[in-house]
Amino acid sequence: MAQVLQLNLSTVCRWVKRGWLEATRRSARHYQIRRWHLQQFFENPPQSIKKRIDALDVEAINYLLGKKA
């Protein structure tokens, strides 16, 4: 996810640790983020990072959500 959105991995991990993005820990270094939780996050991001989310590439978000162009 971080690579597709051109974000630092620590940024995405921070969102998970703060509870903004729901994920399941699969190992010490890997999280699983369900498409449903990702969609909720993008549709209703925390106010403090809303501008950052709005600036992300729409095509990359649609790719992650499995939407066609």
Side-chain angles (χ1 to χ4, degrees):
M1 176 184 157
Q3 185 176 13
V4 171
L5 295 174
Q6 298 179 351
L7 295 170
N8 193 307
L9 182 58
S10 64
T11 300
V12 177
C13 289
R14 189 176 321 113
W15 294 346
V16 171
K17 289 177 183 176
R18 289 184 179 174
W20 294 344
L21 179 58
E22 192 169 334
T24 304
R25 187 172 211 110
R26 290 295 174 198
S27 69
R29 297 184 60 186
H30 294 94
Y31 288 98
Q32 177 183 6
I33 302 170
R34 299 207 180 270
R35 189 175 291 165
W36 169 250
H37 297 271
L38 195 58
Q39 184 174 358
Q40 286 181 320
F41 176 75
F42 286 131
E43 288 176 356
N44 191 23
Q47 192 64 33
S48 59
I49 61 168
K50 186 167 177 27
K51 286 182 182 179
R52 185 166 192 183
I53 298 300
D54 289 341
L56 294 174
D57 182 16
V58 176
E59 288 183 29
I61 292 172
N62 287 337
Y63 171 78
L64 290 172
L65 297 176
K67 294 181 180 179
K68 299 194 179 197

